[in-house]
Amino acid sequence: MSTSTFSRTPHGGPSRTGPSPAAGSPAPAGRRKRRRRSRPVLNAIAVLAALVWVFPVYWMVNTALVPTSELFTLTPRFVPFPTSFEHFSGVLRDEKFWSALRMSAIVALVVVVLAVLFGFLAAVAVSRFRFRGRGALIMLVILVQMLPAEALFISQFRMLDDWNLLSSVPGLSLLCLGGIVPFTVWLLRGFIDGVPVELEEAAMVDGCSRVGAFFRVTLPLLGPGLVTSSVFAFLHTWNEYNLALIVMTKTDHATLPLWLRSFSSETSATDWGGVMAGSTLIAVPVIALFLSVHSRMGSGLVAGAVKG
């Protein structure tokens, strides 16, 4: 039996109006039922994956709160009771920790500001302008990302040694910038390409200059891209170990990852409680930064362009 209905047109001929609502309703209803049945399974899988991901972080904090006398018991303690803060107090009393914290904070701040600035300007040039060698520049950015960092250690060390930049903030910042700026350019180029150029052209029709149209229309819509690139640059620099190991040859100019290595080897036996307490303190700024900007990272790129 056909599910289509016919109606009479003004000229007297039949007109097909499509399937009747009764015939089309069971399929969507069945799909909704299948979604409702599968939703608990998908939620359970998501919760399980989240627990697997968060367990190492939980175990790190748990170990940092367990007293030294209870660290090496055969029975694992999933709840740190009684709770002890002796490991955290030992880390906070260490002057080398505060020196390494200052060094890491300064390097991270310098790298984030310069990486976003240089990457943003280069991404604007690649995205909005057509010039000779543009394709070669884009390929060069990709090739730089493909080079293994270990292949450059010797040349980087000799370069900084000739420039007297070993064990210094400018030296480490320069090497970190070399590894982050190409990725920042590639990332921000995608964000800028996602903003329609017609928005700038409309602003130029209304009297804005080309530069004014970009900064008044396009730049406010690039917030998620700038935040994402800043977070990536901060994470890359804050957790950098290999470059810091090569550049920071003096023990009093160590960053936090280098300090953590020396902290765990100062005694014959590794102080796992101190290591976990130091790792927890190092992770606190990263977690705080992510919690403060995660909404910006997930927001739409051109959401403001479609608001009336």
Side-chain angles (χ1 to χ4, degrees), residues 7-31:
S7 61
R8 185 71 60 178
T9 63
H11 300 287
S15 174
R16 187 167 180 170
T17 60
S20 61
S25 57
R31 284 196 295 268

Side-chain angles (χ1 to χ4, degrees), residues 159-173:
M159 178 186 69
L160 295 183
D161 189 24
D162 293 339
W163 293 352
N164 296 322
L165 292 179
L166 290 177
S167 298
S168 65
V169 171
L172 182 57
S173 301

Side-chain angles (χ1 to χ4, degrees), residues 134-152:
R134 176 175 173 271
L137 178 61
I138 296 175
M139 291 301 301
L140 182 61
V141 170
I142 299 175
L143 290 175
V144 170
Q145 286 296 112
M146 296 173 61
L147 291 176
E150 292 77 8
L152 305 175

Side-chain angles (χ1 to χ4, degrees), residues 2 17 21 29 49 58 69 84 99 125 143 148 152 158 170 206-207 236 254:
S2 174
T17 60
Y58 157 75
S69 58
S84 174
S99 176
L143 290 175
L152 305 175
R158 296 190 61 180
D206 291 338
H236 181 86

